[in-house]
Amino acid sequence: LSSIEYFDIQGNINIYSSCLIQTKGFAPLIFVGTETEIYCIVSNTLLPLSFSSLLPGKKNEKVVSLSGTSAKSKHPMKVILSIGTMNAETHQCALYALDVQVFPFSSSKKGRPSNSSPDYSLQVGSLNSLAFPGDQGIRQISSRLRILSNDQTAPLFLACTHTTFQGFFKSPTGCLPIKLKPLFPELSSSILQCDSRIVRFDMFELASWRFVVIGFENGLLHLTKTNMDDFSIRRSQKLLSGPLSTTSLFMQYHAVNKLDVHPLLSSLNKDVSSRCSSPSLQTINLVVGGALGSLILFRDISSDSPFSRSQVLCSHSETVMCVHTCDLDASGYTDLLVGFYDGFVSIFSFSPDEDTYRHVFKVRQPGPVYGIFGSDLYRDGIRHIIIVLMNGVSIMRGSFSDNLSILKSRLLRLVSLRDHE
């Protein structure tokens, strides 16, 4: 891996939030937010969103959280960005949903040379707001498309404070609050009974099951497994030895989806896994980062004893700031990208021969890592690591020859499996 680009956020400002949104077959969008502004990175272009200009008369609104999802639209690069803010004086919170479209410049347009820069332009649409009850501060927002009646979909945003969850739909007429209990009974206050404050949560849906993990400041892990047919809930808890900083649920085997950056490799991996008898390929895992530097992996949390198989991946000296899961090298297994407060970035990869995760890469950045993502940023077939720092975004990339060697080995493995059928 090597550094190939750095996007500098000009001025004496810090980045506090970030998110990645995959688009339908085009370049992914990276959004980063300072206190007052939001920027979008698409390919090799940094585009200002001018969020402050959309809030006239609200100079004290500070951006504290970002999330988003691709929109159901004919336009392939239209997304809906959810923005959590807090008033610096009153501490009142608000949620905003913003339509954003990114357009690639066409070299065929009259008067525009083929090598014009930047390569993309950005257009913002309607901004819908929803007052958020209380003054505890929005810790995190999760965005997803939810199926409504008549096969219609609408963006659903889940936001959590230190103690509660709130949700709303993005409709054509604005943001509509929803009652969470009918849709997400595991997030109701009667289920979440803890004396500590919520730090982070994650959600994963597989078939008719939904897994939700919530990490608390005192080190408590709260895991629920909900049957989405009858909404029956199974709960498990585990108290760790120190405060938590981040959580992430993921499948050990990298599943194929329509937004996958390696469609050929993913299809091959799916074909290989369907001929293998190893049940570990379909297991759901949980990785937990600690404020004191620990990184713990819990294997197969869908089992009756979700916390029985644990592995301490590392014990660092500084806080685990962020974790992102993706198939970085197209091996068919999910890799773990981890960022620390002291600027270190570590990568952990699964070894099927040893049936364990191993530390394979480490590099240090010039400052705390506030966000980390893995995606094909330039659409060149190679996964990039996007590292969000205090004042900018660093891009790292691997070698295309590595992907070719993996492709060859997967083809040989597939041929071997078919010969024995």
Side-chain angles (χ1 to χ4, degrees):
L1 288 169
S2 58
S3 297
I4 61 171
E5 193 156 6
Y6 182 79
F7 296 95
D8 187 19
I9 305 300
Q10 300 293 332
N12 187 22
I13 51 179
N14 294 338
I15 296 173
Y16 290 97
S17 54
S18 60
C19 70
L20 177 146
I21 305 177
Q22 295 284 4
T23 59
K24 301 172 182 177
F26 286 76
L29 305 181
I30 309 294
F31 290 92
V32 296
T34 66
E35 280 192 347
T36 57
E37 291 297 342
I38 299 173
Y39 298 84
C40 175
I41 296 174
V42 51
S43 188
N44 60 348
T45 307
L46 178 67
L47 302 171
L49 204 67
S50 300
F51 178 65
S52 58
S53 64
L54 301 175
L55 299 174
K58 296 185 177 181
K59 296 182 179 180
N60 293 316
E61 293 281 318
K62 307 298 183 183
V63 178
V64 295
S65 186
L66 293 175
S67 183
T69 182
S70 59
K72 190 174 183 180
S73 169
K74 294 181 179 179
H75 191 284
M77 296 184 72
K78 181 178 180 180
V79 300
I80 298 176
L81 184 67
S82 59
I83 307 163
T85 68
M86 184 178 68
N87 188 290
E89 292 184 354
T90 65
H91 300 288
Q92 180 65 43
C93 299
L95 288 172
Y96 296 91
L98 180 65
D99 293 329
V100 180
Q101 288 190 151
V102 175
F103 299 90
F105 285 151
S106 174
S107 58
S108 62
K109 287 185 178 181
K110 185 178 180 180
R112 184 178 298 281
S114 59
N115 61 347
S116 59
S117 181
D119 301 316
Y120 294 86
S121 64
L122 183 145
Q123 177 180 317
V124 295
S126 58
L127 178 69
N128 304 121
S129 64
L130 178 73
F132 200 85
D135 58 357
Q136 300 179 50
I138 299 173
R139 297 300 302 264
Q140 182 186 350
I141 307 175
S142 176
S143 306
R144 60 194 65 239
L145 286 175
R146 194 73 180 176
I147 298 177
L148 303 177
S149 58
N150 301 322
D151 295 328
Q152 296 295 313
T153 61
L156 168 67
F157 302 109
L158 296 173
C160 76
T161 66
H162 295 300
T163 58
T164 61
F165 284 83
Q166 301 288 336
F168 67 95
F169 278 117
K170 170 72 165 59
S171 72
T173 58
C175 295
L176 304 176
I178 62 171
K179 293 182 179 180
L180 284 182
K181 193 169 184 178
L183 292 175
F184 300 93
E186 66 269 41
L187 300 182
S188 64
S189 56
S190 60
I191 298 293
L192 301 177
Q193 295 180 352
C194 182
D195 296 332
S196 187
R197 303 195 301 177
I198 298 173
V199 174
R200 200 76 180 169
F201 77 96
D202 196 19
M203 185 178 296
F204 191 95
E205 295 182 357
L206 178 66
S208 60
W209 294 97
R210 181 172 62 226
F211 301 86
V212 177
V213 61
I214 303 172
F216 291 87
E217 211 170 52
N218 64 352
L220 179 68
L221 274 177
H222 182 98
L223 176 68
T224 56
K225 179 182 178 181
T226 304
N227 187 322
M228 291 186 287
D229 294 328
D230 58 12
F231 288 103
S232 58
I233 302 174
R234 293 170 56 184
R235 291 182 290 173
S236 303
Q237 291 186 341
K238 184 175 181 63
L239 185 63
L240 302 182
S241 59
L244 305 180
S245 56
T246 187
T247 61
S248 183
L249 293 164
F250 65 97
M251 287 188 66
Q252 189 161 298
Y253 168 71
H254 182 67
V256 182
N257 64 73
K258 62 183 179 181
L259 299 180
D260 205 295
V261 70
H262 299 295
L264 174 60
L265 283 168
S266 295
S267 297
L268 284 172
N269 290 328
K270 184 178 181 180
D271 212 356
V272 170
S273 67
S274 66
R275 289 170 164 80
C276 295
S277 58
S278 174
S280 64
L281 288 173
Q282 301 301 333
T283 59
I284 300 175
N285 298 336
L286 165 65
V287 61
V288 180
L292 301 180
S294 63
L295 187 69
I296 305 175
L297 174 68
F298 295 96
R299 300 272 297 275
D300 194 13
I301 55 96
S302 59
S303 66
D304 293 335
S305 302
F307 300 115
S308 60
R309 297 181 62 191
S310 63
Q311 176 187 353
V312 178
L313 298 178
C314 72
S315 296
H316 201 70
S317 59
E318 293 286 350
T319 299
V320 178
M321 298 292 289
C322 48
V323 175
H324 182 74
T325 60
C326 69
D327 184 6
L328 189 65
D329 57 1
S331 65
Y333 299 96
T334 302
D335 301 305
L336 308 179
L337 314 181
V338 187
F340 296 90
Y341 184 76
D342 57 0
F344 276 104
V345 170
S346 291
I347 300 176
F348 298 85
S349 294
F350 181 73
S351 172
D353 295 331
E354 302 174 7
D355 191 31
T356 187
Y357 271 85
R358 297 183 296 106
H359 185 261
V360 297
F361 180 77
K362 189 175 186 178
V363 68
R364 191 167 193 174
Q365 298 291 321
V369 179
Y370 285 103
I372 190 167
F373 308 100
S375 186
D376 186 359
L377 188 61
Y378 299 151
R379 301 303 297 172
D380 57 4
I382 302 177
R383 219 39 106 165
H384 303 80
I385 300 180
I386 301 101
I387 305 169
V388 182
L389 304 172
M390 182 179 295
N391 301 112
V393 179
S394 177
I395 310 297
M396 301 188 72
R397 183 174 64 177
S399 170
F400 186 71
S401 61
D402 294 338
N403 285 346
L404 289 178
S405 63
I406 293 172
L407 173 59
K408 182 179 178 180
S409 66
R410 300 304 279 181
L411 281 169
L412 292 174
R413 174 66 169 155
L414 181 58
V415 170
S416 174
L417 288 170
R418 285 178 171 175
D419 289 342
H420 288 84
E421 288 182 347

